[in-house]
Amino acid sequence: MSKTLEIKDLSYRKNSKKILERVNLSLEAGQIVALLGANGAGKTSLMRVIAGVAKHYQGQVSVCRESDEDARKQYLAMTDNLAYFRDSVKIKDVAAFYQGVYPDFDQEQFEQILEFMNLNQDEKLGALSKGMKEKLIIALTFARRAKLYLLDEPFSGIDLMSRKKIVKSLLLWKPEDATLVISDHVLGEVATIIDEVVLVKNHSVLEQRSADEIREQNESLEEWYEGFYEGEE
Amino acid sequence: MKFKDNIPIYVQIEDYIFLELAQGKLKAGDKLPSVRALAVELTVNVNTVQRALRELTAQGYIYSKRGEGNFVTEDEALLEAAKRKLLVSEPAAFVSRMEKLGVERDKIGRILEQYLQETDRGE
């Protein structure tokens, strides 16, 4: 199988503070991966480095064999918190903006996902609940035809039914050969849908395991994950 | 479907489809839903469904037609055998659980008989 993401000896500092140190990670095409770790472990920074948003790192990061920051952007889609849109902006205006910025943005697919999510194009951002906003973010991300999707904590602070809806949408709209990385500090709803778990701790990737391989040892993913934090509470 | 945490998901899907076959909910020659439809229905990964179907295909319970999808075997004898397998494994699991409760083997029959009589009267 071909590698969608390859990271070699990645280190990253921000304001001379160590954020990531000697990260090695490789992800295959078509996999769904949970990026787990406590808050502040470096999950978001890792995603931002992969996406080419955080710069000035050391080491090599390649997506579909492209290591150049601008070149690899064409293969990946990362969730966006929409922070720079004002509350009065309508969903359709955000979509128009996306269409202008990303050549791979598929308007028809966007509308399909929006319909599945029960969202209306004329709704204003300011009128959306947290769960609805997250659904919109997922729709915008999966309307792009990428090889690597990075979802940064898509479930944090939203209700159970919205979480379930989002999980279903991932299964429906992830292209078969695309790799999906979902970060979270808990396993939650994604436990049944992931192929692999990647654990981020002490500024690095500590472990990478197949989910069913862990279960074959008669261990739940939850137990496996908690095992890394034993005696730390 | 609710999954157990510490058993591989593909094994649980395999068992689930096997049970549908043995109970006759899926019949000889029936077409299975598409892999993606099964994945969404069960809320699991497409790769996991594919793995479960591969295992069932290897055992001969299902087969795939190119471009058409997956179908239940038309081998009625094999489906009968699947049912018989459960008629052995279910009592085996029951006996093992009773033994774990400290019930001796020769008492299990009497307990079961008593239960059946009591529940009969209740109806």
Side-chain angles (χ1 to χ4, degrees):
Chain A
M1 258 197 262
S2 62
K3 303 271 182 249
T4 295
L5 173 70
E6 192 114 47
I7 297 177
K8 280 184 190 142
D9 271 326
L10 165 72
S11 294
Y12 174 63
R13 292 175 161 272
K14 202 158 83 185
N15 305 328
S16 78
K17 203 178 145 216
K18 178 170 75 183
I19 309 285
L20 297 167
E21 201 176 31
R22 280 194 287 275
V23 173
N24 286 288
L25 179 65
S26 131
L27 300 179
E28 282 175 11
Q31 303 273 294
I32 301 182
V33 181
L35 190 65
L36 293 175
N39 291 327
K43 303 183 300 287
T44 301
S45 295
L46 180 56
M47 283 193 169
R48 287 168 54 86
V49 168
I50 296 168
V53 184
K55 295 167 198 278
H56 311 299
Y57 53 86
Q58 292 175 316
Q60 210 192 21
V61 177
S62 35
V63 177
C64 298
R65 290 163 202 256
E66 280 301 347
S67 57
D68 179 77
E69 277 165 34
D70 285 323
R72 69 180 189 248
K73 274 185 186 168
Q74 63 183 308
Y75 295 115
L76 62 88
M78 182 172 168
T79 48
D80 175 349
N81 57 18
L82 304 179
Y84 42 82
F85 289 103
R86 277 175 296 127
D87 281 353
S88 57
V89 171
K90 288 179 177 170
I91 289 182
K92 63 179 174 200
D93 302 326
V94 179
F97 173 81
Y98 260 66
Q99 210 160 20
V101 176
Y102 302 107
D104 60 353
F105 188 83
D106 183 333
Q107 179 69 25
E108 203 177 311
Q109 177 141 318
F110 174 69
E111 285 170 18
Q112 278 177 22
I113 307 176
L114 218 53
E115 199 188 323
F116 176 80
M117 300 291 202
N118 295 320
L119 286 174
N120 184 327
Q121 294 237 54
D122 291 314
E123 207 94 59
K124 286 180 182 160
L125 290 189
L128 302 179
S129 68
K130 201 152 191 266
M132 286 157 92
K133 200 162 182 182
E134 197 56 52
K135 286 175 181 169
L136 168 63
I137 291 171
I138 295 292
L140 289 165
T141 309
F142 278 90
R144 294 189 50 204
R145 307 278 184 176
K147 295 286 181 203
L148 177 64
Y149 292 91
L150 304 173
L151 312 187
D152 190 15
E153 305 226 355
F155 304 106
S156 66
I158 65 172
D159 62 280
L160 179 70
M161 292 326 285
S162 298
R163 293 203 298 267
K164 289 194 167 176
K165 194 88 177 165
I166 288 173
V167 166
K168 294 247 188 233
S169 74
L170 305 180
L171 296 170
L172 281 166
W173 278 285
K174 181 185 92 66
E176 211 159 314
D177 64 341
T179 301
L180 170 59
V181 182
I182 308 162
S183 76
D184 214 322
H185 58 280
V186 288
L187 260 162
E189 270 68 40
V190 298
T192 62
I193 70 160
I194 52 177
D195 293 288
E196 281 189 336
V197 272
V198 169
L199 184 87
V200 180
K201 203 188 171 200
N202 304 335
H203 311 286
S204 197
V205 166
L206 215 59
E207 280 233 30
Q208 178 177 15
R209 290 279 299 277
S210 140
D212 269 350
E213 216 176 88
I214 293 172
R215 297 189 181 104
E216 269 161 16
Q217 318 281 307
N218 244 323
E219 201 175 17
S220 73
L221 298 186
E222 212 73 64
E223 288 165 340
W224 174 85
Y225 179 38
E226 282 170 12
F228 289 95
Y229 296 92
E230 239 154 56
E232 287 184 16
E233 305 88 70
Chain B
M1 182 180 177
K2 203 101 183 95
F3 290 103
K4 291 199 176 87
D5 289 339
N6 56 350
I7 298 171
I9 306 281
Y10 76 90
V11 173
Q12 298 184 62
I13 297 171
E14 202 186 317
D15 289 348
Y16 168 75
I17 296 176
F18 182 83
L19 192 66
E20 301 259 293
L21 293 173
Q23 292 176 342
K25 284 184 188 162
L26 279 172
K27 294 185 176 58
D30 277 359
K31 187 178 189 297
L32 265 65
S34 74
V35 172
R36 202 178 280 253
L38 274 171
V40 174
E41 186 193 321
L42 303 171
T43 319
V44 296
N45 192 312
V46 168
N47 298 329
T48 313
V49 174
Q50 265 160 351
R51 180 155 183 198
L53 295 182
R54 261 203 313 277
E55 306 275 343
L56 289 163
T57 306
Q59 295 161 47
Y61 295 116
I62 60 172
Y63 68 98
S64 64
K65 273 192 230 171
R66 197 173 284 274
E68 285 187 57
N70 293 297
F71 294 83
V72 178
T73 178
E74 291 178 16
D75 185 346
E76 302 271 4
L78 191 64
L79 292 172
E80 265 309 303
K83 190 173 175 180
R84 280 200 303 278
K85 247 190 201 172
L86 285 182
L87 291 180
V88 175
S89 67
E90 287 296 316
F94 171 69
V95 168
S96 146
R97 279 198 296 273
M98 292 302 271
E99 281 180 335
K100 277 188 192 137
L101 287 173
V103 181
E104 285 164 47
R105 279 183 88 90
D106 54 4
K107 303 252 163 56
I108 294 174
R110 205 178 325 137
I111 291 174
L112 188 60
E113 231 166 83
Q114 198 182 344
Y115 170 77
L116 289 172
Q117 274 170 13
E118 275 171 16
T119 47
D120 245 2
R121 245 178 280 153
E123 271 175 11

